[in-house]
Amino acid sequence: MGKLHYNAPVILTYTVLAFAATLLVTAQPGLGVPLLAVYRSPVDPLFVLRLFTHVFAHINFEHFAGNFMLLLLMGPMLEEKYGSRTIGVMIVITAVVTGFINVLLFESALMGASGVVFAFIIISSLVNLRQGSIPITFVLVVVLYIGREVHSAFAVTQTNISHLTHILGGMCGAVMGLYIAHTQPKR
């Protein structure tokens, strides 16, 4: 049996930082939520920072585990294929887009990695994209995952789930995945 190695530095570091942020939110919600969640606060100097930090904080450990089980499954494979820098940029872009749109459209605070999860789900379905064709897996994933979120967004039942964040994350993943497939050299 070999020794452990830090095989996906961006994903593993993201996981550790998100765990710490979630620990802060659960132990000190009065401090953690206002500090890390993104919400409409145009004169607050921490507003821009929160556009990034909201993808670290989770309301509880069930929320954290649900997101990071998926990220830890997909993330290392994507990081190996596309590189740590590209994965880091994908996370930042998704965080800023989902945070900014949430602030524009809603009064509620946003936190959690689900936008990043949905981006990675869509990007994963594009891993074997070939020039001039669209993978059937991509079409099915978009229909199933994004279709379910669109349906849930219009359902009568109110939840604390930001379906728009899931949809936006999926859209970010589609755009980034298609862009990377057409611009990055094959590894």
Side-chain angles (χ1 to χ4, degrees):
M1 188 160 168
K3 59 184 175 180
L4 297 174
H5 72 283
Y6 210 65
N7 61 311
V10 170
I11 296 300
L12 291 171
T13 302
Y14 181 24
T15 303
V16 169
L17 291 174
F19 182 83
T22 303
L23 190 59
L24 174 64
V25 167
T26 57
Q28 295 290 323
L31 172 66
V33 173
L35 183 64
L36 300 171
V38 69
Y39 51 91
R40 194 174 292 173
S41 58
V43 294
D44 190 336
L46 294 178
F47 171 75
V48 173
L49 181 63
R50 288 188 197 105
L51 287 174
F52 303 97
T53 61
H54 74 95
V55 298
F56 293 96
H58 291 76
I59 198 67
N60 57 39
F61 284 101
E62 183 179 349
H63 183 210
F64 168 84
N67 282 330
F68 278 88
M69 281 190 293
L70 290 169
L71 280 174
L72 288 167
L73 283 170
M74 295 176 292
M77 291 180 283
L78 292 173
E79 192 167 344
E80 183 177 331
K81 177 162 179 72
Y82 298 120
S84 297
R85 182 170 184 256
T86 299
I87 291 299
V89 168
M90 288 177 177
I91 292 168
V92 168
I93 288 171
T94 304
V96 170
V97 167
T98 58
F100 191 73
I101 299 295
N102 185 77
V103 166
L104 283 177
L105 299 178
F106 302 107
E107 298 282 335
S108 61
L110 176 67
M111 66 177 147
S114 59
V116 175
V117 169
F118 271 79
F120 280 21
I121 288 168
I122 301 298
I123 292 167
S124 294
S125 71
L126 290 169
V127 164
N128 61 359
L129 182 70
R130 294 188 185 123
Q131 196 70 19
S133 69
I134 298 172
I136 293 172
T137 53
F138 170 71
V139 174
L140 292 173
V141 165
V142 167
V143 167
L144 292 173
Y145 275 90
I146 303 303
R148 180 184 69 181
E149 291 306 311
V150 169
H151 176 267
S152 296
F154 294 105
V156 178
T157 308
Q158 289 291 327
T159 65
N160 286 332
I161 297 171
S162 176
H163 299 288
L164 180 62
T165 299
H166 298 171
I167 294 165
L168 290 169
M171 290 169 61
C172 287
V175 170
M176 291 183 292
L178 290 168
Y179 174 79
I180 287 169
H182 292 294
T183 60
Q184 265 197 351
K186 303 295 181 220
R187 286 184 151 193

